[in-house]
Amino acid sequence: MSENTGKHSLWSWSNWFNRSSVLIFFVAWELVPRAGGLLETFIAPPSVVLKTLWEIFNSGQLLGHVGVSLSRTASGFLAASLVAIPLGFLLGGSFRTLERLINPVLRFFGQLNPFSLFPLFIMLFGIGELSKGAMIFWVCIWPILFNTINGVKEIDPLLIKSARSMGTGIVTLFFKVILPAAAPGIFLGLKMGSGTAFFMLIAAEMIGASRGLGWLVWNAQINFQIPQLFAATVTISVLGLALNGIFAIIEKALLGWKQHSHA
C-alpha cells in the first residue's frame, strides 16, 4: 500500500513539475520582454502574440494561409505516398536483388540536403506551385519508401507460407497478411514524411509565394512585424503538434492489434 502511495505521490509531483515548468516559461516570456531594451524590440510577449493571432484570424487571413499551406503539403505528400508505397512493396518483396543493387543510390538521394536542391527545382519547375509540390514530393518519398521496404522485409515468412498452405489467393494474401504485417513500417514512414513535408513547405513558401504560413513568416520578417512573426511561428508549431496528434489517433485505430499482441 505504501509503495503504491509513494508511486502515486511521485507521479503527482512529476505532473506538477511539468505543468509548473510550462507556466513558468509563459510567465517569463510575458515579463522579460516588458523589461525594455532589445528584448522588447525583438521578442513579443504571449499576450501580444495572442492578440495578433486573433486579429489575423478575425480578418480571415489566418485560415486562408493555413488552408493554402495544408493543401500544398497534402498534394506533395499524397503523390509521394502513391509512388513510394507500391515501389516499396516491389523492392522489399518481389525484387529484392534489384533493391540491393540500387539501395546505395537511393540512400544517396535520400541524404541529399533538400535546401540545396531549391535552385534546381526552381530552374526545372519555376517558382510556382509545381516547384513547391516537387520539393514536398522529394522530401516525403524517401522516408516512406525506406520504411515500406523495411516493413515488407520484416514480414515473417511463416505467415505467408501458412496462408498459402491454406489455399489463400494472391489478393487475399496481400490484404489479409502482407499489408497488415507491413503496416507498422509503412505508418512510420508516413508519419516521418508528413512532419518533414509540412516544415519543408514553410521554407519553400518563403520563395516565390504570395500566400501560406511560410510567406507570412517571411513577410513579417522583412517588414519587421515581430508580433506577426511570432504569431505565424506559434501557428506553425500548433499545426505540427496537431499533425502528430492526428497520426497518433490513426495509428492507435489501425494498429491497435499490434499493441494487444505485445501485451
Side-chain angles (χ1 to χ4, degrees), residues 46-255:
S47 58
V48 177
V49 173
L50 290 176
K51 180 183 177 183
T52 305
L53 270 174
W54 173 250
E55 292 173 351
I56 299 174
F57 174 80
N58 202 35
S59 67
Q61 296 181 42
L62 184 61
L63 290 180
H65 290 304
V66 170
V68 169
S69 293
L70 290 180
S71 64
R72 287 169 176 164
T73 303
S75 60
F77 175 74
L78 289 175
S81 301
L82 291 174
V83 173
I85 293 176
L87 184 60
F89 272 103
L90 291 175
L91 294 177
S94 304
F95 299 94
R96 291 196 177 185
T97 301
L98 176 62
E99 187 271 333
R100 287 194 293 270
L101 289 174
I102 66 173
N103 183 62
V105 178
L106 296 178
R107 294 289 175 181
F108 171 77
F109 285 139
Q111 292 299 318
L112 285 177
N113 189 327
F115 293 99
S116 66
L117 297 176
F118 268 11
L120 178 61
F121 282 116
I122 292 174
M123 286 175 58
L124 293 174
F125 305 111
I127 60 174
E129 296 299 320
L130 188 57
S131 62
K132 295 174 181 58
M135 291 176 192
I136 302 304
F137 177 87
W138 179 269
V139 297
C140 285
I141 192 171
W142 306 115
I144 300 174
L145 176 62
F146 294 143
N147 282 282
T148 301
I149 292 174
N150 292 335
V152 174
K153 283 183 174 181
E154 291 174 1
I155 297 175
D156 189 349
L158 291 177
L159 292 175
I160 299 177
K161 290 180 180 179
S162 299
R164 285 178 174 173
S165 66
M166 292 185 289
T168 305
I170 296 177
V171 176
T172 304
L173 177 67
F174 177 79
F175 285 102
K176 295 293 185 179
V177 178
I178 298 176
L179 182 59
I186 297 172
F187 200 83
L188 176 61
L190 291 174
K191 286 196 295 184
M192 294 173 62
S194 65
T196 306
F198 182 72
F199 289 106
M200 184 66 186
L201 175 73
I202 303 305
E205 286 180 336
M206 294 182 182
I207 302 175
S210 58
R211 296 190 71 191
L213 291 172
W215 176 86
L216 194 62
V217 172
W218 177 80
N219 183 66
Q221 176 187 348
I222 63 173
N223 291 293
F224 203 70
Q225 298 172 333
I226 301 302
Q228 182 174 304
L229 176 63
F230 273 78
T233 303
V234 167
T235 302
I236 293 168
S237 299
V238 170
L239 286 176
L241 291 173
L243 283 176
N244 288 335
I246 291 171
F247 268 98
I249 294 172
I250 298 174
E251 183 177 22
K252 185 176 181 180
L254 297 181
L255 303 179

